[in-house]
Amino acid sequence: MSRRPVIAGNWKMHKLQAESAQLVNDLMKELKDLDKAAMPEVVVAPVFTSLYAVNKAMTDCGCGKVRLACQNCYFETQGAFTGEVSVEMAKDAGCEYIIIGHSERRQYFGETDEMVNKKAKKILSEGIVPIICCGESLEQRESGVTDSHIASQIKAALEGLTPEEVAKSIIAYEPIWAIGTGKVATTEQAQEVCAAIRACIAEVYDDATAEAIRIQYGGSVSADSAPELFAQPDIDGGLVGGASLKPDFGKIVNYK
Ligand code: PGA
């Protein structure tokens, strides 16, 4: 199966415009010698206020090796939704991917499975790729409900999507206890859940859709842990937080 790995940097709420442009310029320099056709897909997700600066830096460089994402969106097109940004607006700013359902958004900003589903539908209808996050808490893992919890998040997020839309989407499996803690899941734990996600998609859709969708691992990925994690049969790259703000990210992209 030839799924192209996709490695995305989630910059979270970090970096001013000039710093963001600097970060992406540094990354593009690091990737200079990589063969574009053979390398993983590389995505960065700055804060909204830095999208323009990062997009401009990418256009000026013209290397075409890094693509743009944002970290959230709203599912309405426009209107009286103070503080929100629509998918059309993100697309207008150069985004080709949008992260939705991140555990921090679920925890601090009340994002529900239903909202994730509405966002996924809207994103796909605009030809953008949703990076749909899921993951269990430490308590859920310890009480043995990881697989059922993840399956319910995935089923809810994908509800009503066509197999073609699902095949184009990306799922990021991020155990909450591994995010920003330096406590990366073991390769076995990560592979096991990513395989379970693929099996869940095969059950709800079909084998071809399950084989096509890309599933990332996220949670304290580093240049040290990336090679083994990304070599797993059901892990197609990663969603990287902390390490995406450092030169480490170039090494993660170059993990092979
Ligand atoms: P981390 O974050 O790599 O800092 O653990 C990952 C994420 O939240 O996407």
Side-chain angles (χ1 to χ4, degrees):
M1 169 41 67
S2 58
R3 288 184 298 267
R4 187 175 182 200
V6 52
I7 299 176
N10 173 10
W11 293 0
K12 307 196 179 183
M13 199 174 77
H14 292 287
K15 304 282 175 193
L16 304 177
Q17 295 187 68
E19 296 166 336
S20 302
Q22 181 71 47
L23 189 59
V24 77
N25 276 326
D26 290 347
L27 174 63
M28 290 185 297
K29 265 187 223 137
E30 288 247 359
L31 306 184
K32 188 167 60 32
D33 297 329
L34 294 188
D35 172 8
K36 200 164 138 189
M39 63 182 268
E41 220 163 279
V42 181
V43 179
V44 293
V47 292
F48 285 117
T49 48
S50 284
L51 288 174
Y52 177 80
V54 172
N55 195 32
K56 183 169 185 316
M58 284 165 29
T59 312
D60 290 350
C61 162
C63 71
K65 286 182 175 170
V66 182
R67 287 146 182 251
L68 196 61
C70 58
Q71 303 170 17
N72 182 33
C73 66
Y74 195 51
F75 47 78
E76 296 290 352
T77 303
Q78 60 180 348
F81 303 105
T82 302
E84 292 297 315
V85 171
S86 72
V87 176
E88 289 84 347
M89 290 161 188
K91 190 171 161 179
D92 185 47
C95 294
E96 296 178 83
Y97 306 75
I98 302 182
I99 300 171
I100 52 174
H102 191 281
S103 63
E104 287 151 17
R105 294 220 53 89
R106 294 179 192 256
Q107 185 182 346
Y108 304 128
F109 305 102
E111 191 157 329
T112 62
D113 282 341
E114 195 192 346
M115 287 159 76
V116 174
N117 178 243
K118 285 187 179 164
K119 291 179 183 193
K121 283 182 177 148
K122 179 69 179 172
I123 290 168
L124 284 156
S125 77
E126 290 296 327
I128 305 282
V129 178
I131 300 179
I132 304 167
C133 303
C134 61
E136 82 288 2
S137 65
L138 188 57
E139 203 187 346
Q140 287 168 323
R141 174 158 286 270
E142 284 173 350
S143 54
V145 298
T146 297
D147 284 1
S148 60
H149 172 69
I150 304 282
S152 93
Q153 282 188 321
I154 294 299
K155 285 179 185 165
L158 304 181
E159 170 82 44
L161 298 184
T162 65
E164 293 72 28
E165 288 176 323
V166 173
K168 277 187 227 148
S169 304
I170 296 171
I171 289 178
Y173 165 57
E174 299 201 303
I176 296 168
W177 48 271
I179 295 178
T181 57
K183 200 176 165 213
V184 63
T186 66
T187 311
E188 294 70 30
Q189 286 170 328
Q191 161 58 23
E192 197 178 295
V193 179
C194 291
I197 292 171
R198 210 175 292 288
C200 170
I201 291 166
E203 180 199 314
V204 179
Y205 289 88
D206 50 63
D207 287 347
T209 307
E211 282 301 308
I213 192 169
R214 290 179 294 175
I215 305 176
Q216 299 174 313
Y217 166 79
S220 298
V221 172
S222 65
D224 287 340
S225 59
E228 206 181 303
L229 283 164
F230 299 170
Q232 299 307 303
D234 287 293
I235 303 181
D236 309 308
L239 182 56
V240 183
S244 70
L245 298 167
K246 302 183 201 138
D248 260 30
F249 192 60
K251 296 197 192 87
I252 293 174
V253 168
N254 203 1
Y255 68 94
K256 276 190 184 151

mmCIF file of all heavy atoms in Angstrom, residues 175-220:
data_model
loop_
_atom_site.group_PDB
_atom_site.id
_atom_site.type_symbol
_atom_site.label_atom_id
_atom_site.label_comp_id
_atom_site.label_asym_id
_atom_site.label_seq_id
_atom_site.Cartn_x
_atom_site.Cartn_y
_atom_site.Cartn_z
ATOM 1 N N PRO A 175 -3.061 10.330 21.735
ATOM 2 C CA PRO A 175 -3.445 10.042 23.120
ATOM 3 C C PRO A 175 -3.222 11.291 23.975
ATOM 4 O O PRO A 175 -2.134 11.887 23.917
ATOM 5 C CB PRO A 175 -2.504 8.903 23.536
ATOM 6 C CG PRO A 175 -1.453 8.798 22.481
ATOM 7 C CD PRO A 175 -1.938 9.512 21.254
ATOM 8 N N ILE A 176 -4.235 11.715 24.692
ATOM 9 C CA ILE A 176 -4.158 13.001 25.411
ATOM 10 C C ILE A 176 -3.002 13.001 26.418
ATOM 11 O O ILE A 176 -2.316 14.007 26.580
ATOM 12 C CB ILE A 176 -5.511 13.300 26.098
ATOM 13 C CG1 ILE A 176 -6.600 13.465 25.020
ATOM 14 C CG2 ILE A 176 -5.439 14.570 26.951
ATOM 15 C CD1 ILE A 176 -8.022 13.477 25.560
ATOM 16 N N TRP A 177 -2.762 11.855 27.018
ATOM 17 C CA TRP A 177 -1.692 11.748 28.015
ATOM 18 C C TRP A 177 -0.288 11.872 27.404
ATOM 19 O O TRP A 177 0.688 12.030 28.139
ATOM 20 C CB TRP A 177 -1.831 10.425 28.795
ATOM 21 C CG TRP A 177 -2.039 9.229 27.903
ATOM 22 C CD1 TRP A 177 -3.238 8.753 27.459
ATOM 23 C CD2 TRP A 177 -1.037 8.396 27.315
ATOM 24 N NE1 TRP A 177 -3.045 7.671 26.624
ATOM 25 C CE2 TRP A 177 -1.704 7.434 26.526
ATOM 26 C CE3 TRP A 177 0.357 8.373 27.376
ATOM 27 C CZ2 TRP A 177 -1.031 6.452 25.808
ATOM 28 C CZ3 TRP A 177 1.041 7.387 26.655
ATOM 29 C CH2 TRP A 177 0.343 6.448 25.890
ATOM 30 N N ALA A 178 -0.214 11.817 26.094
ATOM 31 C CA ALA A 178 1.106 11.930 25.434
ATOM 32 C C ALA A 178 1.337 13.331 24.874
ATOM 33 O O ALA A 178 2.445 13.652 24.439
ATOM 34 C CB ALA A 178 1.213 10.900 24.317
ATOM 35 N N ILE A 179 0.299 14.178 24.875
ATOM 36 C CA ILE A 179 0.424 15.505 24.252
ATOM 37 C C ILE A 179 1.148 16.477 25.177
ATOM 38 O O ILE A 179 0.698 16.725 26.301
ATOM 39 C CB ILE A 179 -0.957 16.073 23.867
ATOM 40 C CG1 ILE A 179 -1.595 15.205 22.775
ATOM 41 C CG2 ILE A 179 -0.829 17.526 23.390
ATOM 42 C CD1 ILE A 179 -2.979 15.643 22.357
ATOM 43 N N GLY A 180 2.282 16.964 24.703
ATOM 44 C CA GLY A 180 3.027 17.987 25.437
ATOM 45 C C GLY A 180 3.626 17.498 26.748
ATOM 46 O O GLY A 180 4.065 18.291 27.570
ATOM 47 N N THR A 181 3.622 16.182 26.956
ATOM 48 C CA THR A 181 4.098 15.641 28.228
ATOM 49 C C THR A 181 5.495 15.045 28.125
ATOM 50 O O THR A 181 6.096 14.700 29.140
ATOM 51 C CB THR A 181 3.157 14.510 28.701
ATOM 52 O OG1 THR A 181 3.103 13.520 27.664
ATOM 53 C CG2 THR A 181 1.764 15.023 28.996
ATOM 54 N N GLY A 182 5.976 14.881 26.904
ATOM 55 C CA GLY A 182 7.256 14.220 26.706
ATOM 56 C C GLY A 182 7.105 12.706 26.846
ATOM 57 O O GLY A 182 8.066 11.953 26.711
ATOM 58 N N LYS A 183 5.866 12.265 27.096
ATOM 59 C CA LYS A 183 5.606 10.840 27.312
ATOM 60 C C LYS A 183 4.993 10.255 26.037
ATOM 61 O O LYS A 183 3.770 10.209 25.887
ATOM 62 C CB LYS A 183 4.613 10.725 28.480
ATOM 63 C CG LYS A 183 4.608 9.388 29.136
ATOM 64 C CD LYS A 183 3.682 9.377 30.332
ATOM 65 C CE LYS A 183 3.426 7.943 30.730
ATOM 66 N NZ LYS A 183 2.106 7.728 31.258
ATOM 67 N N VAL A 184 5.842 9.872 25.115
ATOM 68 C CA VAL A 184 5.344 9.351 23.839
ATOM 69 C C VAL A 184 4.753 7.953 24.033
ATOM 70 O O VAL A 184 5.227 7.202 24.885
ATOM 71 C CB VAL A 184 6.493 9.381 22.789
ATOM 72 C CG1 VAL A 184 7.623 8.481 23.183
ATOM 73 C CG2 VAL A 184 6.023 9.075 21.397
ATOM 74 N N ALA A 185 3.686 7.644 23.291
ATOM 75 C CA ALA A 185 3.129 6.288 23.361
ATOM 76 C C ALA A 185 4.182 5.312 22.849
ATOM 77 O O ALA A 185 5.031 5.687 22.040
ATOM 78 C CB ALA A 185 1.874 6.209 22.497
ATOM 79 N N THR A 186 4.136 4.072 23.314
ATOM 80 C CA THR A 186 5.080 3.110 22.745
ATOM 81 C C THR A 186 4.675 2.849 21.298
ATOM 82 O O THR A 186 3.516 3.081 20.914
ATOM 83 C CB THR A 186 5.067 1.761 23.502
ATOM 84 O OG1 THR A 186 3.781 1.157 23.300
ATOM 85 C CG2 THR A 186 5.339 1.944 24.990
ATOM 86 N N THR A 187 5.633 2.369 20.531
ATOM 87 C CA THR A 187 5.348 2.072 19.127
ATOM 88 C C THR A 187 4.183 1.090 19.024
ATOM 89 O O THR A 187 3.313 1.234 18.171
ATOM 90 C CB THR A 187 6.614 1.445 18.495
ATOM 91 O OG1 THR A 187 7.705 2.289 18.844
ATOM 92 C CG2 THR A 187 6.523 1.343 17.021
ATOM 93 N N GLU A 188 4.148 0.118 19.931
ATOM 94 C CA GLU A 188 3.089 -0.889 19.902
ATOM 95 C C GLU A 188 1.731 -0.255 20.197
ATOM 96 O O GLU A 188 0.741 -0.545 19.527
ATOM 97 C CB GLU A 188 3.344 -2.008 20.940
ATOM 98 C CG GLU A 188 4.563 -2.875 20.667
ATOM 99 C CD GLU A 188 5.895 -2.139 20.880
ATOM 100 O OE1 GLU A 188 5.955 -1.223 21.737
ATOM 101 O OE2 GLU A 188 6.864 -2.456 20.160
ATOM 102 N N GLN A 189 1.695 0.616 21.225
ATOM 103 C CA GLN A 189 0.416 1.267 21.569
ATOM 104 C C GLN A 189 -0.092 2.097 20.389
ATOM 105 O O GLN A 189 -1.271 2.061 20.037
ATOM 106 C CB GLN A 189 0.606 2.202 22.779
ATOM 107 C CG GLN A 189 0.762 1.479 24.108
ATOM 108 C CD GLN A 189 1.180 2.443 25.222
ATOM 109 O OE1 GLN A 189 1.885 3.426 24.988
ATOM 110 N NE2 GLN A 189 0.741 2.160 26.437
ATOM 111 N N ALA A 190 0.814 2.865 19.790
ATOM 112 C CA ALA A 190 0.417 3.754 18.699
ATOM 113 C C ALA A 190 -0.064 2.942 17.493
ATOM 114 O O ALA A 190 -1.121 3.225 16.919
ATOM 115 C CB ALA A 190 1.588 4.655 18.305
ATOM 116 N N GLN A 191 0.709 1.916 17.130
ATOM 117 C CA GLN A 191 0.329 1.076 15.983
ATOM 118 C C GLN A 191 -1.012 0.382 16.242
ATOM 119 O O GLN A 191 -1.869 0.326 15.357
ATOM 120 C CB GLN A 191 1.441 0.056 15.681
ATOM 121 C CG GLN A 191 1.034 -1.159 14.848
ATOM 122 C CD GLN A 191 0.450 -0.830 13.472
ATOM 123 O OE1 GLN A 191 0.694 0.248 12.905
ATOM 124 N NE2 GLN A 191 -0.366 -1.745 12.928
ATOM 125 N N GLU A 192 -1.188 -0.114 17.459
ATOM 126 C CA GLU A 192 -2.418 -0.851 17.792
ATOM 127 C C GLU A 192 -3.657 0.031 17.588
ATOM 128 O O GLU A 192 -4.637 -0.392 16.975
ATOM 129 C CB GLU A 192 -2.310 -1.286 19.256
ATOM 130 C CG GLU A 192 -3.253 -2.381 19.668
ATOM 131 C CD GLU A 192 -3.006 -2.733 21.128
ATOM 132 O OE1 GLU A 192 -1.906 -3.225 21.456
ATOM 133 O OE2 GLU A 192 -3.906 -2.468 21.949
ATOM 134 N N VAL A 193 -3.600 1.257 18.096
ATOM 135 C CA VAL A 193 -4.789 2.123 17.960
ATOM 136 C C VAL A 193 -4.971 2.565 16.505
ATOM 137 O O VAL A 193 -6.104 2.585 16.004
ATOM 138 C CB VAL A 193 -4.734 3.335 18.913
ATOM 139 C CG1 VAL A 193 -5.961 4.216 18.730
ATOM 140 C CG2 VAL A 193 -4.627 2.880 20.365
ATOM 141 N N CYS A 194 -3.876 2.874 15.811
ATOM 142 C CA CYS A 194 -4.019 3.287 14.409
ATOM 143 C C CYS A 194 -4.603 2.137 13.572
ATOM 144 O O CYS A 194 -5.434 2.371 12.684
ATOM 145 C CB CYS A 194 -2.691 3.778 13.844
ATOM 146 S SG CYS A 194 -2.193 5.355 14.588
ATOM 147 N N ALA A 195 -4.207 0.903 13.883
ATOM 148 C CA ALA A 195 -4.773 -0.259 13.177
ATOM 149 C C ALA A 195 -6.259 -0.398 13.515
ATOM 150 O O ALA A 195 -7.081 -0.721 12.644
ATOM 151 C CB ALA A 195 -4.019 -1.528 13.551
ATOM 152 N N ALA A 196 -6.612 -0.125 14.770
ATOM 153 C CA ALA A 196 -8.025 -0.227 15.178
ATOM 154 C C ALA A 196 -8.860 0.845 14.462
ATOM 155 O O ALA A 196 -10.014 0.594 14.079
ATOM 156 C CB ALA A 196 -8.142 -0.081 16.692
ATOM 157 N N ILE A 197 -8.280 2.022 14.266
ATOM 158 C CA ILE A 197 -8.993 3.090 13.543
ATOM 159 C C ILE A 197 -9.241 2.643 12.091
ATOM 160 O O ILE A 197 -10.335 2.781 11.558
ATOM 161 C CB ILE A 197 -8.179 4.407 13.568
ATOM 162 C CG1 ILE A 197 -8.129 4.959 14.993
ATOM 163 C CG2 ILE A 197 -8.774 5.443 12.602
ATOM 164 C CD1 ILE A 197 -7.176 6.132 15.201
ATOM 165 N N ARG A 198 -8.209 2.047 11.493
ATOM 166 C CA ARG A 198 -8.366 1.588 10.105
ATOM 167 C C ARG A 198 -9.432 0.480 10.024
ATOM 168 O O ARG A 198 -10.250 0.466 9.102
ATOM 169 C CB ARG A 198 -7.014 1.101 9.553
ATOM 170 C CG ARG A 198 -6.870 1.293 8.060
ATOM 171 C CD ARG A 198 -5.483 0.911 7.532
ATOM 172 N NE ARG A 198 -4.401 1.779 7.949
ATOM 173 C CZ ARG A 198 -4.210 3.021 7.503
ATOM 174 N NH1 ARG A 198 -5.031 3.544 6.610
ATOM 175 N NH2 ARG A 198 -3.193 3.753 7.934
ATOM 176 N N ALA A 199 -9.434 -0.395 11.020
ATOM 177 C CA ALA A 199 -10.422 -1.477 11.027
ATOM 178 C C ALA A 199 -11.831 -0.900 11.183
ATOM 179 O O ALA A 199 -12.796 -1.387 10.567
ATOM 180 C CB ALA A 199 -10.103 -2.456 12.153
ATOM 181 N N CYS A 200 -11.960 0.132 11.987
ATOM 182 C CA CYS A 200 -13.255 0.770 12.205
ATOM 183 C C CYS A 200 -13.756 1.391 10.889
ATOM 184 O O CYS A 200 -14.941 1.271 10.543
ATOM 185 C CB CYS A 200 -13.079 1.836 13.303
ATOM 186 S SG CYS A 200 -14.470 2.916 13.522
ATOM 187 N N ILE A 201 -12.841 1.988 10.130
ATOM 188 C CA ILE A 201 -13.234 2.599 8.853
ATOM 189 C C ILE A 201 -13.613 1.514 7.831
ATOM 190 O O ILE A 201 -14.563 1.663 7.076
ATOM 191 C CB ILE A 201 -12.125 3.538 8.340
ATOM 192 C CG1 ILE A 201 -12.071 4.746 9.281
ATOM 193 C CG2 ILE A 201 -12.372 3.989 6.896
ATOM 194 C CD1 ILE A 201 -10.872 5.608 9.156
ATOM 195 N N ALA A 202 -12.891 0.386 7.881
ATOM 196 C CA ALA A 202 -13.231 -0.731 6.983
ATOM 197 C C ALA A 202 -14.631 -1.254 7.309
ATOM 198 O O ALA A 202 -15.397 -1.607 6.407
ATOM 199 C CB ALA A 202 -12.204 -1.843 7.118
ATOM 200 N N GLU A 203 -14.947 -1.253 8.601
ATOM 201 C CA GLU A 203 -16.260 -1.778 9.028
ATOM 202 C C GLU A 203 -17.386 -0.820 8.605
ATOM 203 O O GLU A 203 -18.416 -1.248 8.081
ATOM 204 C CB GLU A 203 -16.203 -1.912 10.555
ATOM 205 C CG GLU A 203 -17.441 -2.445 11.221
ATOM 206 C CD GLU A 203 -17.418 -2.084 12.714
ATOM 207 O OE1 GLU A 203 -16.370 -2.259 13.368
ATOM 208 O OE2 GLU A 203 -18.460 -1.591 13.195
ATOM 209 N N VAL A 204 -17.183 0.471 8.804
ATOM 210 C CA VAL A 204 -18.237 1.435 8.480
ATOM 211 C C VAL A 204 -18.303 1.691 6.973
ATOM 212 O O VAL A 204 -19.390 1.860 6.419
ATOM 213 C CB VAL A 204 -18.010 2.773 9.221
ATOM 214 C CG1 VAL A 204 -19.079 3.795 8.869
ATOM 215 C CG2 VAL A 204 -17.941 2.564 10.718
ATOM 216 N N TYR A 205 -17.137 1.719 6.301
ATOM 217 C CA TYR A 205 -17.094 1.975 4.862
ATOM 218 C C TYR A 205 -16.703 0.694 4.149
ATOM 219 O O TYR A 205 -17.519 -0.211 4.030
ATOM 220 C CB TYR A 205 -16.134 3.147 4.564
ATOM 221 C CG TYR A 205 -16.718 4.454 5.039
ATOM 222 C CD1 TYR A 205 -16.505 4.910 6.338
ATOM 223 C CD2 TYR A 205 -17.513 5.223 4.196
ATOM 224 C CE1 TYR A 205 -17.074 6.093 6.786
ATOM 225 C CE2 TYR A 205 -18.086 6.411 4.634
ATOM 226 C CZ TYR A 205 -17.851 6.841 5.930
ATOM 227 O OH TYR A 205 -18.417 8.008 6.362
ATOM 228 N N ASP A 206 -15.464 0.597 3.708
ATOM 229 C CA ASP A 206 -15.015 -0.616 3.012
ATOM 230 C C ASP A 206 -13.488 -0.677 3.088
ATOM 231 O O ASP A 206 -12.853 0.279 3.524
ATOM 232 C CB ASP A 206 -15.485 -0.590 1.545
ATOM 233 C CG ASP A 206 -15.116 0.733 0.879
ATOM 234 O OD1 ASP A 206 -13.913 1.009 0.768
ATOM 235 O OD2 ASP A 206 -16.021 1.512 0.514
ATOM 236 N N ASP A 207 -12.925 -1.776 2.632
ATOM 237 C CA ASP A 207 -11.476 -1.973 2.741
ATOM 238 C C ASP A 207 -10.689 -0.932 1.947
ATOM 239 O O ASP A 207 -9.660 -0.440 2.415
ATOM 240 C CB ASP A 207 -11.079 -3.371 2.244
ATOM 241 C CG ASP A 207 -11.497 -4.444 3.235
ATOM 242 O OD1 ASP A 207 -11.849 -4.092 4.382
ATOM 243 O OD2 ASP A 207 -11.493 -5.632 2.846
ATOM 244 N N ALA A 208 -11.185 -0.585 0.763
ATOM 245 C CA ALA A 208 -10.437 0.365 -0.081
ATOM 246 C C ALA A 208 -10.345 1.725 0.600
ATOM 247 O O ALA A 208 -9.291 2.377 0.577
ATOM 248 C CB ALA A 208 -11.112 0.495 -1.446
ATOM 249 N N THR A 209 -11.424 2.156 1.237
ATOM 250 C CA THR A 209 -11.425 3.450 1.929
ATOM 251 C C THR A 209 -10.470 3.401 3.114
ATOM 252 O O THR A 209 -9.684 4.327 3.341
ATOM 253 C CB THR A 209 -12.862 3.796 2.393
ATOM 254 O OG1 THR A 209 -13.733 3.692 1.272
ATOM 255 C CG2 THR A 209 -12.950 5.180 2.989
ATOM 256 N N ALA A 210 -10.521 2.291 3.837
ATOM 257 C CA ALA A 210 -9.647 2.137 5.007
ATOM 258 C C ALA A 210 -8.174 2.108 4.600
ATOM 259 O O ALA A 210 -7.309 2.631 5.309
ATOM 260 C CB ALA A 210 -10.010 0.858 5.765
ATOM 261 N N GLU A 211 -7.897 1.509 3.448
ATOM 262 C CA GLU A 211 -6.509 1.441 2.968
ATOM 263 C C GLU A 211 -6.027 2.796 2.469
ATOM 264 O O GLU A 211 -4.834 3.086 2.477
ATOM 265 C CB GLU A 211 -6.390 0.418 1.830
ATOM 266 C CG GLU A 211 -6.355 -1.021 2.300
ATOM 267 C CD GLU A 211 -5.190 -1.284 3.249
ATOM 268 O OE1 GLU A 211 -4.043 -0.951 2.895
ATOM 269 O OE2 GLU A 211 -5.426 -1.796 4.364
ATOM 270 N N ALA A 212 -6.961 3.634 2.026
ATOM 271 C CA ALA A 212 -6.566 4.919 1.434
ATOM 272 C C ALA A 212 -6.347 6.008 2.477
ATOM 273 O O ALA A 212 -5.473 6.859 2.322
ATOM 274 C CB ALA A 212 -7.628 5.372 0.439
ATOM 275 N N ILE A 213 -7.131 6.014 3.540
ATOM 276 C CA ILE A 213 -7.062 7.132 4.493
ATOM 277 C C ILE A 213 -5.715 7.125 5.226
ATOM 278 O O ILE A 213 -5.168 6.056 5.551
ATOM 279 C CB ILE A 213 -8.236 7.094 5.500
ATOM 280 C CG1 ILE A 213 -8.295 8.418 6.279
ATOM 281 C CG2 ILE A 213 -8.162 5.903 6.445
ATOM 282 C CD1 ILE A 213 -9.556 8.599 7.102
ATOM 283 N N ARG A 214 -5.205 8.330 5.457
ATOM 284 C CA ARG A 214 -3.937 8.412 6.178
ATOM 285 C C ARG A 214 -4.185 8.669 7.661
ATOM 286 O O ARG A 214 -5.020 9.493 8.029
ATOM 287 C CB ARG A 214 -3.049 9.482 5.554
ATOM 288 C CG ARG A 214 -2.568 8.995 4.175
ATOM 289 C CD ARG A 214 -1.708 9.991 3.485
ATOM 290 N NE ARG A 214 -2.448 11.188 3.129
ATOM 291 C CZ ARG A 214 -1.885 12.260 2.586
ATOM 292 N NH1 ARG A 214 -0.586 12.278 2.364
ATOM 293 N NH2 ARG A 214 -2.607 13.318 2.268
ATOM 294 N N ILE A 215 -3.460 7.948 8.490
ATOM 295 C CA ILE A 215 -3.627 8.043 9.939
ATOM 296 C C ILE A 215 -2.283 8.432 10.552
ATOM 297 O O ILE A 215 -1.286 7.719 10.400
ATOM 298 C CB ILE A 215 -4.134 6.704 10.523
ATOM 299 C CG1 ILE A 215 -5.428 6.270 9.816
ATOM 300 C CG2 ILE A 215 -4.344 6.829 12.039
ATOM 301 C CD1 ILE A 215 -5.966 4.914 10.243
ATOM 302 N N GLN A 216 -2.289 9.573 11.214
ATOM 303 C CA GLN A 216 -1.057 10.058 11.849
ATOM 304 C C GLN A 216 -1.058 9.684 13.326
ATOM 305 O O GLN A 216 -2.110 9.543 13.945
ATOM 306 C CB GLN A 216 -0.994 11.587 11.791
ATOM 307 C CG GLN A 216 -0.980 12.186 10.409
ATOM 308 C CD GLN A 216 -1.053 13.710 10.470
ATOM 309 O OE1 GLN A 216 -1.876 14.263 11.187
ATOM 310 N NE2 GLN A 216 -0.205 14.371 9.715
ATOM 311 N N TYR A 217 0.147 9.614 13.879
ATOM 312 C CA TYR A 217 0.275 9.549 15.338
ATOM 313 C C TYR A 217 0.726 10.929 15.823
ATOM 314 O O TYR A 217 1.568 11.576 15.176
ATOM 315 C CB TYR A 217 1.301 8.487 15.778
ATOM 316 C CG TYR A 217 1.639 8.685 17.238
ATOM 317 C CD1 TYR A 217 0.761 8.230 18.221
ATOM 318 C CD2 TYR A 217 2.760 9.425 17.633
ATOM 319 C CE1 TYR A 217 1.015 8.488 19.564
ATOM 320 C CE2 TYR A 217 3.010 9.686 18.974
ATOM 321 C CZ TYR A 217 2.124 9.211 19.932
ATOM 322 O OH TYR A 217 2.356 9.486 21.259
ATOM 323 N N GLY A 218 0.204 11.368 16.947
ATOM 324 C CA GLY A 218 0.674 12.618 17.554
ATOM 325 C C GLY A 218 0.762 12.469 19.062
ATOM 326 O O GLY A 218 0.009 11.698 19.675
ATOM 327 N N GLY A 219 1.677 13.195 19.649
ATOM 328 C CA GLY A 219 1.874 13.146 21.108
ATOM 329 C C GLY A 219 3.345 12.976 21.407
ATOM 330 O O GLY A 219 3.874 11.862 21.355
ATOM 331 N N SER A 220 4.026 14.130 21.648
ATOM 332 C CA SER A 220 5.444 14.130 22.002
ATOM 333 C C SER A 220 6.343 13.449 20.968
ATOM 334 O O SER A 220 7.349 12.841 21.325
ATOM 335 C CB SER A 220 5.655 13.504 23.385
ATOM 336 O OG SER A 220 4.971 14.264 24.374
#
